[in-house]
Amino acid sequence: MAGQITKRAVDAAKPGQTVWDGDLPGFGMRVSPKGSKTYVLKYRARGKQRWVTIGQHGKPMPVDIAASSGRVWTPSAARNAAMRLLGRVRDGADPASEKNEARQAETLRQFSKRYLREHVEPHLKPRSAEENKRNLKLHVLPALGDLKVREITRDDVAKFHRSKRETPYLANRCLALVSHMLSTAERWGVFPNGSAVCRYVPKFKEQARKRYLSTDEVKALGRALSDAEAKGMNPQGIAIIRLLMFTGARRSEIVGLCWDEVDFECGAIHFRDSKTGQKSIPIAPPAQAILSDIERVEGSPWVFPAMSSDGHYQGIGKLWNAIRKMAELDDVRLHDLRHTFASFGAAGGHSLPIIGALLGHKQSVTTQRYAHLANDPLHQAVNRISGTIAAALDGIEAAKVLEFQEQPKLHNTGQSSI
């Protein structure tokens, strides 16, 4: 373009467009497909063309530059920075290479900030993002945070992974997080290509947890919930626990439920977002009754709104710890209520595809964990048949036959007290 880049030219630039300064060769402004506008400098050093990013229009400038040029990047501030860079190029420097080398010298702690900002926060679901942040803060960074990213070795990762062997699930999740961080660093040019230091670090064997509540345990939970109501404990949390039992939904789905997802006419909940994406589940009369009794808060979209903010209720973990203690179910997690819903269905003779549909499983293999419960009706049938045959072989009259004791069932399908 003729003349210098002006604010008017920056404002008028369209996504995908690059605007070049007519007075300062190599100085320009690029617009990303999403509309962010970044000042750049193109130059030649050691016989090769280089690009260096100066700053994003309207964003804060580094402190050392801002002291003399202003607080945010503007066309004039970026042009002054480009002139200083070109002066260094004439003196034999290569700013782009220097910037890349500085980036490669980052510690994992420094790199983690960019990783969270550019990958975790924009691309992961909130709960997954929080889990990554928690594992970084509590486990990964205390062990590996001060190491230079480009110098992290397989031995470093293996040693860290072994240090968590007492908690195999946590160890494997942290290993997966470090692996993805380093592969992202490689993609961003911060880590040497082809390093893959996590590839041959063996994961620990995880023991699949299968905790279902028995009928007696469900009754104990029901009594604890009634006692909690009588004591005036948080009614929102109590309603959430009951809904988890009656629907088999995930904790995040019920806690973050909005009224426009509840369809009383169809007797269903249409989740806009869940671990497996959009899905709908039917809700039975007990669940509908709970939802119908909840008083809506004007102006809030949440079924369970927070009392002191615009978000949803956040205290379910603390309340659950208190209630499970009252019910003497100290080893039961909230997620085990989902397993219990499925186990009651399987023990009651419902097919695995039906149970998988109720739980919102996308893969049938996920529902297979309940297969042994679905076989209980078969055990009952074979016990009756073999008992009758055995009695006949012994010459006992059919009227006097006592059936063999049936295989013990994990659950009775009678209605619970919740």
Side-chain angles (χ1 to χ4, degrees), residues 315-360:
I316 188 62
K318 184 176 180 180
L319 179 68
W320 172 248
N321 287 336
I323 288 178
R324 71 178 180 178
K325 185 175 181 180
M326 293 165 59
E328 298 183 355
L329 300 171
D330 291 338
D331 67 325
V332 178
R333 309 166 301 170
L334 271 174
H335 193 70
D336 294 330
L337 303 185
R338 176 172 166 86
H339 294 323
T340 299
F341 177 88
S343 72
F344 269 64
H350 298 291
S351 69
L352 294 184
I354 289 294
I355 295 169
L358 291 174
L359 296 178

Side-chain angles (χ1 to χ4, degrees), residues 203-270:
K203 293 181 179 179
F204 292 120
K205 184 176 181 180
E206 297 177 22
Q207 195 68 32
R209 177 182 167 117
K210 297 180 180 179
R211 179 65 167 97
Y212 320 114
L213 274 67
S214 67
T215 302
D216 288 341
E217 288 176 326
V218 171
K219 290 179 179 179
L221 178 57
R223 290 191 295 270
L225 289 170
S226 297
D227 291 345
E229 286 178 319
K231 293 178 180 178
M233 297 174 73
N234 191 287
Q236 288 186 307
I238 294 172
I240 288 171
I241 294 170
R242 292 182 184 276
L243 282 175
L244 291 173
M245 285 295 296
F246 288 136
T247 64
R250 295 181 178 88
R251 165 180 172 167
S252 59
E253 295 167 347
I254 297 300
V255 171
L257 184 64
C258 291
W259 281 116
D260 61 2
E261 296 175 307
V262 180
D263 187 343
F264 285 107
E265 185 175 346
C266 294
I269 297 176
H270 308 294

Side-chain angles (χ1 to χ4, degrees), residues 109-127:
R109 190 182 310 278
Q110 292 168 328
F111 175 75
S112 68
K113 296 177 182 179
R114 181 185 176 194
Y115 177 77
L116 292 174
R117 183 178 64 251
E118 298 184 21
H119 171 73
V120 171
E121 292 174 356
H123 296 297
L124 299 188
K125 293 181 182 296
R127 187 167 182 183

Side-chain angles (χ1 to χ4, degrees), residues 128-243:
S128 297
E130 286 304 314
E131 182 180 2
N132 276 353
K133 291 176 182 178
R134 183 173 60 253
N135 286 340
L136 267 174
K137 179 180 178 181
L138 299 180
H139 307 290
V140 175
L141 295 183
L144 303 173
D146 295 331
L147 298 178
K148 297 277 178 54
V149 174
R150 66 184 308 178
E151 296 176 357
I152 294 176
T153 66
R154 183 173 295 122
D155 285 342
D156 293 325
V157 176
K159 182 179 179 181
F160 164 65
H161 186 241
R162 286 195 302 272
S163 72
K164 303 292 181 183
R165 58 183 172 273
E166 298 299 325
T167 52
Y169 179 86
L170 173 64
N172 291 343
R173 299 294 81 71
C174 288
L175 176 63
L177 175 58
V178 172
S179 178
H180 191 271
M181 288 182 71
L182 294 183
S183 64
T184 302
E186 183 177 337
R187 192 168 64 251
W188 290 348
V190 180
F191 198 60
N193 289 334
S195 298
V197 299
C198 300
R199 181 177 300 166
Y200 299 108
V201 177
K203 293 181 179 179
F204 292 120
K205 184 176 181 180
E206 297 177 22
Q207 195 68 32
R209 177 182 167 117
K210 297 180 180 179
R211 179 65 167 97
Y212 320 114
L213 274 67
S214 67
T215 302
D216 288 341
E217 288 176 326
V218 171
K219 290 179 179 179
L221 178 57
R223 290 191 295 270
L225 289 170
S226 297
D227 291 345
E229 286 178 319
K231 293 178 180 178
M233 297 174 73
N234 191 287
Q236 288 186 307
I238 294 172
I240 288 171
I241 294 170
R242 292 182 184 276
L243 282 175

